[in-house]
Amino acid sequence: MMKKSVFYILFLVLLYSHPGYSQLDSINHLDEVVLSDVHLFRRSNSNTIQVLNDSVLEHNSPALTSILKFHSPIYFRENGPGMVASASFRGTTASQTAVIWNGININSQFTGQTDFNTILTSGYENIAIRSGGGSVLYGSGAIGGSVHLNDRFRFNNGFQNRAQIRYGSFDTYYGNLESEYSKENLSVQLSISKSGSENDFPYPGSNKLNENGDYSNTGINAAVAYLLNPSNSLKFYTNYYIGERGFSGTLTAPSKSKYEDLNSKNLLEWRSYVGNFTSTLRLAYLDEEYKYFENRNREEYSYGRSKSGIAKYELEYRLHYDKKLFALLEYRKTRGEGTNIEAIQERNTGSAGLLFSHDLYPFRYELSARTEFSDRYDSPLLFSAGASYAVTEDYLVKLNISRNYRIPTLNDLFWYAGGNLDLRPENSLQAEVGQELNFSNLKLTVTGFVINTEDLLRWVPTTNGMWRPENTQETLNYGLETTADWNKNFNGHLLKINSTYSFTKAVDQKTEMQLIYVPLHKATASAGYGFKRFSSYFQFLYNGEVYTSSDNKYSLDPYYIANAGVTYDLLRDHLEIGFEAQNIFNTSYQSMPSRPMPGRAYYSSLIFKF
């Protein structure tokens, strides 16, 4: 019966259209000389990609979590504002969502995931969301989808600066300075950000406050591009993040713990064009460090640190005007150590991939495969096959089938109290069918998907009460994602309306129960209005019920929250003032048990451009 339901959903996708959303004006406008991750767009023709541009990033909270909550189908599980936030993409786990920084996978080597509250969005040109499996392009963890942090260089723009100050409820502050200098063959970008909060909000309907929830984050982004000649370019990116936060307790259990992050990322890229060949070499160094204090008033702490060196080479050959062949080689060396890791551990992994694309407009298809080499375990042969067909100029149908995987992390293998050296990589088979329709000012998309995962990695309790990672579970995820984007300019009045909706069924095939922390329904909507110097916006989020126990006996109630804001340009593109109210209906809700989220809150902001 379950399999019939899956194929029925995929069949419906071919017959059904529903409002969709994408903020990408035109992929053709993304010049490969200045874009950081070219093959995100060029090798993903059969996948759905959303792009949240700088205007969306500018009018949202600086943490990546809040932006994606209100503008994508991704579900987030949060311990509270500024606390740990993990993503669920198409019902997969946080470790099955890859975060890609300028073409490099930056998921933690300890946990296999990214804490989205430690990613400050200031300084990035855009945030892209790629739905579906991407292991052939981006390696381990790209199962449910991937989130891309992209820099983009401009030339001949001179010297430009932008500063933003934001302050609001619970002593929450944010400051950011962005500078950019460019001439004919040189582009330099710098962004410095600082955010923090006492985060002592009252629990709605209670006389208790959120205690020990303070946080402080500092982020520095810098990037340089130099055009050596018309055929060669050099780019350098660096990112530095330092964060300190208390881990707030629950309604029943107080906490005095504290967590410190210190992460840096560095990337050098050389791109060359020779005849029909395009060559790209990336060299990256990632440093991830944390300290955990059980009692923040004491000096004792546990720690972990990993260092990764990455060499990634891509070579594209244009066989003909409509045929391209693309080869990929990657090598990663990781060294990890820490209080909870048995001795110093090293990992060496390599991969080789081959991709082919053929454009027979209105039909286009792409085939790809990737194999992994490791000094510790065997990985499956990965593949992806996709096609798109333009039924008309305004109607496009897409199909993609892929095999993806996730390798065990350092914690999975070497955790002192339960690491398991016999773990196998997760692997999944998945398929999706999508549609895109364009009607004048309206763009609609709908996608149906199915993901069958084997050897799912998860930590389970043993007979002696300790937790240990095992390959235990087989899951089946299927559902629909729909998006819509409509805009209209009439007599200087600009109106934009965007929405997303996702239905996700994620089932343990042994028990046929819904997986925990996967809502059946999630919906978002946003509307923006602008006229001359005035603009306003409204955001809405609905999260359905989520189960918190594997037997589906315990759950968190569904909830909806809404934000609204206004801005006014005081000095014609030089000074903008803004005001925002979050959770305007003062909704009482939780995304984790016994961890209430804030009620209504207010924020004001100033943006200077000079």
Side-chain angles (χ1 to χ4, degrees):
M1 185 67 182
M2 185 179 298
K3 291 184 178 179
K4 289 183 179 180
S5 299
V6 173
F7 288 110
Y8 179 67
I9 284 180
L10 289 176
F11 175 73
L12 281 178
V13 174
L14 290 173
L15 303 177
Y16 174 72
S17 65
H18 188 86
Y21 165 71
S22 173
Q23 295 190 350
L24 180 62
D25 294 329
S26 173
I27 289 175
N28 294 327
H29 290 171
L30 298 174
D31 191 324
E32 66 182 351
V33 173
V34 295
L35 181 65
S36 59
D37 188 6
V38 175
H39 64 216
L40 165 63
F41 301 99
R42 296 191 174 179
R43 325 271 180 238
S44 305
N45 294 305
S46 56
N47 296 90
T48 300
I49 298 177
Q50 297 173 244
V51 175
L52 308 181
N53 58 32
D54 53 357
S55 64
V56 175
L57 306 183
E58 183 176 281
H59 293 108
N60 281 270
S61 176
L64 183 57
T65 305
S66 60
I67 294 173
L68 295 181
K69 277 199 309 184
F70 284 92
H71 293 278
S72 80
I74 303 175
Y75 169 74
F76 282 91
R77 184 173 59 179
E78 293 182 86
N79 287 353
M83 303 296 102
V84 175
S86 56
S88 176
F89 208 137
R90 292 184 170 179
T92 61
T93 67
S95 300
Q96 294 170 323
T97 297
V99 176
I100 311 300
W101 175 68
N102 292 310
I104 298 295
N105 189 323
I106 60 170
N107 279 21
S108 168
Q109 295 300 300
F110 290 106
T111 64
Q113 58 185 265
T114 294
D115 182 349
F116 283 74
N117 271 335
T118 65
I119 303 291
L120 301 179
T121 59
S122 50
Y124 294 111
E125 173 72 18
N126 60 57
I127 307 295
I129 305 155
R130 184 186 188 273
S131 301
S135 291
V136 170
L137 287 176
Y138 301 110
S140 175
I143 295 177
S146 50
V147 176
H148 299 252
L149 312 174
N150 296 317
D151 286 294
R152 188 183 181 193
F153 294 100
R154 300 176 180 85
F155 296 88
N156 289 319
N157 274 353
F159 189 49
Q160 299 180 357
N161 299 278
R162 176 185 175 276
Q164 181 178 6
I165 300 172
R166 190 170 185 262
Y167 184 79
S169 300
F170 324 123
D171 286 330
T172 302
Y173 65 88
Y174 170 68
N176 169 247
L177 173 64
E178 296 180 14
S179 295
E180 178 181 327
Y181 171 75
S182 64
K183 56 182 183 179
E184 184 178 0
N185 61 348
L186 177 67
S187 181
V188 181
Q189 301 173 358
L190 175 65
S191 174
I192 302 174
S193 302
K194 177 75 173 179
S195 68
S197 176
E198 287 299 313
N199 210 19
D200 54 351
F201 58 89
Y203 293 154
S206 170
N207 58 1
K208 295 183 177 181
L209 297 178
N210 184 54
E211 297 179 349
N212 198 51
D214 59 300
Y215 64 87
S216 175
N217 305 311
T218 301
I220 300 174
N221 277 328
V224 180
Y226 183 67
L227 305 182
L228 300 171
N229 53 52
S231 300
N232 291 274
S233 65
L234 283 176
K235 304 173 191 174
F236 177 73
Y237 311 86
T238 186
N239 174 271
Y240 178 85
Y241 171 86
I242 181 170
E244 179 178 330
R245 51 185 165 170
F247 276 176
S248 57
T250 66
L251 285 171
T252 57
S255 170
K256 295 183 179 180
S257 60
K258 183 179 73 168
Y259 195 85
E260 295 179 358
D261 296 275
L262 180 58
N263 303 322
S264 67
K265 302 184 284 288
N266 301 276
L267 171 63
L268 178 65
E269 178 187 304
W270 172 33
R271 183 166 295 165
S272 178
Y273 307 86
V274 180
N276 290 331
F277 289 92
T278 301
S279 169
T280 304
L281 174 64
R282 291 186 175 97
L283 300 175
Y285 174 72
L286 310 179
D287 192 344
E288 171 192 358
E289 183 178 2
Y290 73 85
K291 293 180 180 179
Y292 174 72
F293 298 78
E294 181 68 27
N295 187 329
R296 65 188 302 167
N297 298 319
R298 297 178 180 175
E299 296 296 327
E300 297 84 5
Y301 62 85
S302 58
Y303 79 97
R305 186 175 187 181
S306 74
K307 303 177 183 179
S308 297
I310 304 168
K312 188 174 184 179
Y313 181 70
E314 303 161 1
L315 181 65
E316 179 187 283
Y317 177 60
R318 185 183 293 272
L319 298 167
H320 194 252
Y321 75 93
D322 60 351
K323 301 183 187 72
K324 291 181 180 179
L325 190 63
F326 178 80
L328 169 67
L329 294 173
E330 183 172 352
Y331 172 75
R332 179 187 289 248
K333 182 179 181 66
T334 298
R335 178 185 175 94
E337 61 179 315
T339 309
N340 298 317
I341 298 293
E342 294 182 351
I344 297 175
Q345 302 295 336
E346 291 190 355
R347 168 183 288 174
N348 295 277
T349 58
S351 62
L354 193 63
L355 301 86
F356 174 76
S357 64
H358 194 184
D359 189 353
L360 297 168
Y361 187 82
F363 178 71
R364 173 186 289 174
Y365 69 93
E366 50 196 12
L367 305 170
S368 57
R370 175 173 174 150
T371 185
E372 296 277 337
F373 311 96
S374 172
D375 57 0
R376 194 169 296 276
Y377 46 76
D378 296 326
S379 296
L381 177 67
L382 309 175
F383 68 85
S384 177
S388 62
Y389 182 73
V391 180
T392 69
E393 290 185 357
D394 300 319
Y395 178 41
L396 182 69
V397 177
K398 297 180 177 183
L399 170 67
N400 185 272
I401 301 172
S402 64
R403 184 178 189 178
N404 304 277
Y405 85 122
R406 182 173 78 85
I407 62 175
T409 67
L410 292 178
N411 285 358
D412 293 333
L413 295 171
F414 307 115
W415 190 262
Y416 79 102
N420 186 352
L421 295 176
D422 296 324
L423 293 174
R424 301 178 300 277
E426 293 177 356
N427 69 87
S428 71
L429 286 172
Q430 55 184 280
E432 62 180 85
V433 181
Q435 298 181 98
E436 292 185 8
L437 298 96
N438 291 274
F439 303 104
S440 182
N441 301 313
L442 177 66
K443 182 172 183 178
L444 313 172
T445 70
V446 58
T447 303
F449 62 88
V450 57
I451 307 174
N452 191 341
T453 303
E454 296 181 350
D455 288 330
L456 185 69
L457 290 164
R458 63 171 183 165
W459 288 67
V460 297
T462 61
T463 55
N464 61 7
M466 297 183 64
W467 289 74
R468 193 168 189 261
E470 294 181 359
N471 295 104
T472 59
Q473 198 174 30
E474 294 186 7
T475 62
L476 183 66
N477 301 22
Y478 59 94
L480 288 171
E481 290 177 349
T482 65
T483 58
D485 181 15
W486 180 84
N487 64 83
K488 179 70 174 179
N489 192 334
F490 49 96
N491 299 324
H493 297 264
L494 179 62
L495 181 62
K496 293 184 177 182
I497 299 176
N498 306 307
S499 67
T500 73
Y501 168 75
S502 62
F503 167 81
T504 306
K505 190 72 175 176
V507 179
D508 182 328
Q509 295 198 65
K510 183 178 180 180
T511 64
E512 296 191 355
M513 296 288 187
Q514 177 84 346
L515 298 183
I516 61 174
Y517 297 107
V518 179
L520 278 176
H521 307 282
K522 181 194 173 184
T524 71
S526 62
Y529 168 76
F531 179 69
K532 295 183 177 179
R533 300 186 184 185
F534 172 82
S535 64
S536 62
Y537 57 91
F538 176 83
Q539 300 172 337
F540 175 85
L541 165 67
Y542 171 80
N543 270 322
E545 179 187 25
V546 296
Y547 293 108
T548 59
S549 62
S550 57
D551 59 7
N552 289 182
K553 289 184 178 180
Y554 300 97
S555 65
L556 294 174
D557 293 334
Y559 61 85
Y560 62 87
I561 49 178
N563 304 329
V566 295
T567 62
Y568 186 76
D569 187 354
L570 292 174
L571 297 177
R572 296 189 179 275
D573 296 326
H574 290 291
L575 176 60
E576 179 182 288
I577 187 170
F579 178 80
E580 177 186 9
Q582 293 187 359
N583 193 3
I584 58 178
F585 301 122
N586 204 32
T587 301
S588 177
Y589 70 102
Q590 300 176 20
S591 64
M592 288 288 288
S594 298
R595 291 186 178 274
M597 298 292 282
R600 189 181 296 113
Y602 303 97
Y603 303 91
S604 58
S605 64
L606 290 173
I607 297 177
F608 306 87
K609 296 180 182 180
F610 53 97

